[in-house]
């Protein structure tokens, strides 16, 4: 079932692997190390896929080891979590005492323990798989034991109940031992007796009380008309006299006495303390007040910041997920307040929890400081470029090869594509490159005129007389309503013929959900094959940044007919001067694509274009 099992360090040094051909699985393990382990990305899933293979792994932060199992992606193995945990325990029991300095040079014989743990995991998984429950036959059901007599009800005998199925299924010996049914006369006589007891009021009299007369017993109970005093009837005063107990009152008292007599347990009396009792119990009340004050102080201490959670928790101990959870929740809310997308903030905190779970703290370290340090390192890794983007060097290389260096700008509406294109154009002119701007936004009114104005201003700042008669900025435009891919192709050909160094292609703004416009952008990139595709996004967005980048990348991949489609290579982050310290959009965009932020727009002049300062962004996020 398992193709390959390996134990290696987080740096990629293999300590042990199963008896299999490791060369066929080396690329999969290397991709896991580069894309997941070293980057701390998506480590909470502990699952990685490449081609038709899947890798499930477990991190050991105490020894800095990784336990990985490779299997076919179509196979679902339910015992892998328990197997990797048991293998970790077995490996630590056997080799955990080896010092870290000698760990890489050691010889690890783990074959016997591996086979034992694997067989135990497979046996436990086989026991959990239950066979399907067989359907019982009709003869085994209760319905087959019913008789015709049990289904017949005689209307002449309403008091008799139907025969129970279980009673009918009992042997004859048990049925004969049951008492014979009562006759109809006995049943009628019993029902009359019960009705008589229910209608007759029960009156309990003491031995000294006189017996009631027969005449009063024979009087019918019922409502009698009231006779007023003006009518001269003296019986009204007698009827209104409540000094003596009426039969109903006696009955009510008897019922109350019966109810009170049947209650069990003790009902606590209401405690009413006098002033003397309060003085005598002064010591007890003082202790209660101290407990209440301690509770109030503990509640106030919980309302503090991130560090107040763990001020008293210091010392050498192993961190667990339960210990890390309060600090991580506080940090997640802090990241969201800094404009980091909610999904990205949760993934970052999960990644930190995975990296710190099982790790030991120092003597004077706290959990909050450990979480902050791990998150800072993770943010620095995310913002650091994973690949080199050196536009000056690449443009010089293209110039030596006799072809123009092409950059395409894309993004949603209103983020500042044309303005930041002009800023990058000014930066290229400052580095002695002549530039051709291709006006491929043939949809928005005024787009071509905006680029024409930028061209005029840039040529005024860098006239041809200062550059040996070379025109530093040119505009290639064909008006509105034309095919953008065709205009870009003609502009690149014109730049090749006139020996222009760099071509900057401006495209129309489009929403990520607009399929026709996304197909048009994918066609423009596929036909012209640019050297660099830059996504222009504004720093003001939060959760929207995730949706924009994911759908732009997905559309460029889906709507391209190439086997290896050209997707986004880098990010231009605009309006960075308007967000103060809420720089979370930089983290969200970089985390989604894994591509670096090439430029940051910080103002309204052509010179307001800077490279991102990773440490400054991380410090703004963590303060």
């Amino acid at each position: 079932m398992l193709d390959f099992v390996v134990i290696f360090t987080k740096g990629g040094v293999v300590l042990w692997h199963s008896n299999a051909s490791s060369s066929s699985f080396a690329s999969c393990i290397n991709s896991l190390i580069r894309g997941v382990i070293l980057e701390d990305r998506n480590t909470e899933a502990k699952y990685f896929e490449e081609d038709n293979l899947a890798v499930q792994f477990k991190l050991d932060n105490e020894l800095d080891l990784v336990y990985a199992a490779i299997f076919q992606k179509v196979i679902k193995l339910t015992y892998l979590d328990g197997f990797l945990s048991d293998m970790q325990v077995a490996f630590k029991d056997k080799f955990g005492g080896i010092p870290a300095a000698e760990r890489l040079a050691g010889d690890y014989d783990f074959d016997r323990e591996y086979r034992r743990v694997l067989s135990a995991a497979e046996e436990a998984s086989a026991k959990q798989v239950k066979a399907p429950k067989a359907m019982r036959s009709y003869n085994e059901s209760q319905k087959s034991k019913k008789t015709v007599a049990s289904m017949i009800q005689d209307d002449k005998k309403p008091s008799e109940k139907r025969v129970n199925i279980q009673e009918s299924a009992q042997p004859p010996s048990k049925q004969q031992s049951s008492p014979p049914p009562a006759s109809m006369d006995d049943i009628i006589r019993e029902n009359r007796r019960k009705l008589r007891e229910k209608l007759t009021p029960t009156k309990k009299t003491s031995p000294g009380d006189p017996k009631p007369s027969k005449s009063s017993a024979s009087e019918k109970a019922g409502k009698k008309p009231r006779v007023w005093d003006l009518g001269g009837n003296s019986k009204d005063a007698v009827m209104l006299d409540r000094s003596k107990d009426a039969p109903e009152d006696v009955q009510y008292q008897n019922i109350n006495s019966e109810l009170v007599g049947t209650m069990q347990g003790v009902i606590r009396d209401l405690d009413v303390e006098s002033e003397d009792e309060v003085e005598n119990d002064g010591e007890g009340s003082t202790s209660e007040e101290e407990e209440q004050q301690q509770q109030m102080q503990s509640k106030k201490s919980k309302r503090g910041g991130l560090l107040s959670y763990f001020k008293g928790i210091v010392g050498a101990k192993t961190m667990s997920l339960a210990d890390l959870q309060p600090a991580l929740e506080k940090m997640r809310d802090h990241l969201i307040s800094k404009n980091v997308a909610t999904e990205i903030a949760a993934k970052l905190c999960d990644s930190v929890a995975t990296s710190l779970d099982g790790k030991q703290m120092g003597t004077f370290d706290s959990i909050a400081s450990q979480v902050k340090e791990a998150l800072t390192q993770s943010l620095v890794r995310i913002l650091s470029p994973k690949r080199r983007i050196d536009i000056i060097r690449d443009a010089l290389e293209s110039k030596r090869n006799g072809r123009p260096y092409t950059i395409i700008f894309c993004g949603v509406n209103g983020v500042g594509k044309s303005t930041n294109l002009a800023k990058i154009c000014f930066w290229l002119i400052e580095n002695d490159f002549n530039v051709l701007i291709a006006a491929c936004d043939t949809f928005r009114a005024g787009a071509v005129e905006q680029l024409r104005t930028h061209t005029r201003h840039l040529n005024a700042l860098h006239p041809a007389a200062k550059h040996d008669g070379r025109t530093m900025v040119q505009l290639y435009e064909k008006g509105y309503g034309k095919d953008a891919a065709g205009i870009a192709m003609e502009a690149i050909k014109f730049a090749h013929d006139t020996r222009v160094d760099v071509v900057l292609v401006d495209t129309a703004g489009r929403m990520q959900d607009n399929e026709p416009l996304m197909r048009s952008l994918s066609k423009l990139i596929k036909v012209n094959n640019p050297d660099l595709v830059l996504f222009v996004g504004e720093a003001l967005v939060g959760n929207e940044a995730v949706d924009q980048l994911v759908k732009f990348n997905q559309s460029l991949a889906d709507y391209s007919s190439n086997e290896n489609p050209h997707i986004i290579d880098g990010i231009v982050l605009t309006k960075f001067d308007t967000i103060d310290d809420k720089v979370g959009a930089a983290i969200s965009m970089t985390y989604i694509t894994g591509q670096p932020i090439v430029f940051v727009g910080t103002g309204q002049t052509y010179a307001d274009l800077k490279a991102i300062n990773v440490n400054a962004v991380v410090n703004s996020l963590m303060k």
Side-chain angles (χ1 to χ4, degrees):
M1 301 294 285
L2 293 178
D3 296 337
F4 188 66
V5 180
V6 62
I7 302 174
F8 58 93
T9 65
K10 290 185 178 181
V13 179
V14 177
L15 303 182
W16 175 88
H17 63 84
S18 59
N19 294 328
S21 178
S22 60
S23 59
S24 57
F25 305 104
S27 62
C28 186
I29 293 296
N30 290 334
S31 300
L32 172 67
I33 295 173
R34 286 193 303 266
V36 178
I37 304 300
L38 295 180
E39 301 294 338
D40 283 343
R41 294 169 59 87
N42 297 327
T43 53
E44 71 275 5
K46 300 181 182 178
Y47 185 81
F48 177 77
E49 291 183 357
E50 186 180 61
D51 297 334
N52 60 340
L53 296 177
V55 184
Q56 190 155 344
F57 61 95
K58 182 176 180 61
L59 301 179
D60 187 350
N61 296 312
E62 184 178 354
L63 301 179
D64 285 336
L65 299 179
V66 181
Y67 305 84
I70 302 178
F71 55 96
Q72 298 295 322
K73 187 165 58 175
V74 296
I75 302 176
K76 302 298 181 183
L77 302 178
T78 57
Y79 62 84
L80 277 183
D81 288 333
F83 164 70
L84 292 176
S85 300
D86 295 341
M87 190 170 70
Q88 177 187 4
V89 173
F91 192 84
K92 289 175 69 174
D93 291 343
K94 189 171 184 180
F95 306 108
I98 299 177
E102 304 175 2
R103 193 170 295 156
L104 300 180
D107 186 14
Y108 298 92
D109 183 13
F110 194 63
D111 294 339
R112 184 174 60 184
E113 289 80 2
Y114 162 68
R115 287 191 293 270
R116 176 179 59 81
V117 172
L118 180 60
S119 61
E122 290 178 347
E123 290 177 1
S125 177
K127 291 179 181 179
Q128 292 178 358
V129 179
K130 298 181 180 179
K133 188 177 180 181
M135 184 180 296
R136 62 181 180 179
S137 62
Y138 176 76
N139 295 329
E140 296 175 351
S141 64
Q142 293 290 339
K143 190 174 182 181
S144 64
K145 299 177 182 179
K146 286 185 177 181
T147 61
V148 178
S150 65
M151 302 180 189
I152 298 176
Q153 181 179 2
D154 192 0
D155 295 337
K156 295 181 180 179
K157 298 179 179 181
S159 62
E160 295 182 2
K161 298 182 179 179
R162 292 187 178 183
V163 180
N164 193 358
I165 296 173
Q166 298 179 355
E167 293 177 358
S168 63
Q170 292 178 356
S173 60
K174 291 185 179 181
Q175 293 180 359
Q176 291 176 2
S177 62
S178 61
S183 63
M184 191 64 181
D185 295 337
D186 295 338
I187 294 173
I188 293 174
R189 192 179 300 107
E190 181 68 18
N191 291 339
R192 287 178 178 176
R193 185 186 63 80
K194 292 180 179 180
L195 181 62
R196 191 182 306 110
E197 291 179 356
K198 188 181 295 186
L199 295 177
T200 303
T202 58
K203 181 178 179 181
K204 296 181 180 180
T205 57
S206 60
D209 293 340
K211 295 183 179 180
S213 61
K214 294 183 179 180
S215 60
S216 61
S218 62
E219 289 180 358
K220 294 183 179 180
K223 185 176 180 181
K224 297 181 179 180
R226 180 176 296 276
V227 181
W228 300 98
D229 290 339
L230 296 178
N233 193 346
S234 62
K235 293 182 179 181
D236 189 33
V238 178
M239 294 174 63
L240 295 176
D241 186 8
R242 301 298 182 183
S243 60
K244 297 180 180 180
D245 292 335
E248 292 83 0
D249 297 335
V250 175
Q251 182 180 0
Y252 179 74
Q253 293 176 1
N254 293 335
I255 293 173
N256 285 340
S257 63
E258 291 177 0
L259 290 175
V260 173
T262 56
M263 292 182 66
Q264 298 179 358
V266 179
I267 300 177
R268 297 178 59 184
D269 295 330
L270 182 64
D271 294 332
V272 180
E273 296 181 352
S274 62
E275 295 180 357
D276 297 333
E277 292 175 349
V278 172
E279 293 177 357
N280 294 332
D281 298 335
E283 296 180 356
S285 61
T286 305
S287 61
E288 293 178 357
E289 291 177 359
E290 291 177 355
E291 291 178 359
Q292 292 179 358
Q293 290 179 359
Q294 292 177 359
Q295 292 178 359
M296 292 295 293
Q297 291 178 359
S298 63
K299 290 181 180 179
K300 290 181 180 179
S301 63
K302 293 180 181 179
R303 299 174 187 171
L306 177 64
L307 295 176
S308 63
Y309 277 95
F310 307 103
K311 284 183 178 179
I313 305 178
V314 293
K317 62 171 292 186
T318 301
M319 290 179 287
S320 64
L321 291 177
D323 299 330
L324 297 169
Q325 196 62 32
L328 290 173
E329 289 180 358
K330 192 79 174 179
M331 188 60 70
R332 181 181 63 84
D333 296 339
H334 177 73
L335 290 176
I336 293 174
S337 68
K338 293 289 186 177
N339 214 19
V340 179
T342 306
E343 179 184 355
I344 306 303
K347 288 183 177 181
L348 284 172
C349 292
D350 291 341
S351 176
V352 171
T354 306
S355 63
L356 293 179
D357 184 21
K359 190 175 181 180
Q360 285 190 349
M361 291 192 305
T363 306
F364 298 101
D365 292 335
S366 63
I367 293 179
S369 61
Q370 291 287 327
V371 169
K372 186 176 181 179
E373 181 181 356
L375 185 59
T376 301
Q377 295 176 359
S378 180
L379 293 175
V380 170
R381 279 194 297 268
I382 290 172
L383 290 175
S384 299
K386 310 303 181 297
R387 67 184 187 91
R388 180 190 61 84
I389 296 182
D390 193 340
I391 296 178
I392 300 297
R393 181 175 177 178
D394 294 342
L396 289 173
E397 184 68 24
S398 298
K399 186 178 181 179
R400 281 193 294 267
N401 295 332
R403 66 178 185 85
Y405 185 80
T406 307
I407 304 176
I408 291 180
F409 297 82
C410 63
V412 299
N413 307 80
V415 294
K417 290 185 298 299
S418 301
T419 303
N420 285 271
L421 181 146
K423 292 181 180 181
I424 296 174
C425 181
F426 177 79
W427 174 71
L428 290 170
I429 296 171
E430 291 284 331
N431 288 276
D432 201 26
F433 291 101
N434 57 341
V435 181
L436 176 66
I437 300 176
C440 294
D441 185 357
T442 61
F443 179 76
R444 178 172 63 91
V448 177
E449 287 77 11
Q450 182 183 4
L451 292 177
R452 189 178 295 125
T453 302
H454 284 306
T455 302
R456 186 172 65 252
H457 290 171
L458 289 170
N459 282 323
L461 292 173
H462 289 275
K466 294 183 180 180
H467 297 276
D468 299 331
R470 291 187 304 163
T471 304
M472 299 307 293
V473 186
Q474 301 179 59
L475 178 64
Y476 190 89
E477 52 97 2
K478 292 292 183 180
Y480 297 98
K482 306 294 179 60
D483 182 24
I487 295 175
M489 180 184 292
E490 294 175 5
I492 295 172
K493 186 177 182 301
F494 175 81
H496 183 273
D497 295 339
T498 57
R499 296 185 179 276
V500 176
D501 300 329
V502 181
V503 178
L504 304 181
V505 181
D506 184 30
T507 62
R510 64 204 73 211
M511 297 305 295
Q512 64 270 19
D513 298 321
N514 194 325
E515 181 179 345
L517 293 181
M518 294 307 298
R519 285 184 180 274
S520 174
L521 178 63
S522 178
K523 174 188 173 183
L524 187 148
I525 295 174
K526 173 182 175 297
V527 169
N528 296 283
N529 192 21
D531 296 285
L532 195 64
V533 177
L534 296 180
F535 177 84
V536 183
E538 59 183 5
L540 300 172
V541 297
N543 294 320
E544 184 68 13
V546 177
D547 189 58
Q548 290 176 5
L549 279 167
V550 167
K551 290 186 176 179
F552 261 83
N553 258 339
Q554 191 66 36
S555 299
L556 294 180
D558 292 344
Y559 301 144
S560 177
S561 58
N562 293 340
E563 184 177 355
N564 296 318
H566 196 153
I567 57 176
I568 294 172
D569 297 314
I571 300 169
V572 178
L573 199 58
T574 66
K575 306 176 185 178
F576 208 72
D577 55 324
T578 64
I579 57 174
D580 196 16
D581 61 343
K582 293 179 171 53
V583 294
I587 296 294
S588 301
M589 292 184 179
T590 311
Y591 189 93
I592 288 297
T593 60
Q595 304 299 341
I597 296 176
V598 184
F599 297 107
V600 175
T602 58
Q604 299 179 357
T605 65
Y606 291 128
D608 292 331
L609 188 71
K610 299 179 181 178
I612 189 169
N613 189 337
V614 175
N615 293 326
V617 172
V618 173
N619 292 334
S620 298
L621 280 172
M622 300 306 296
K623 71 179 182 180

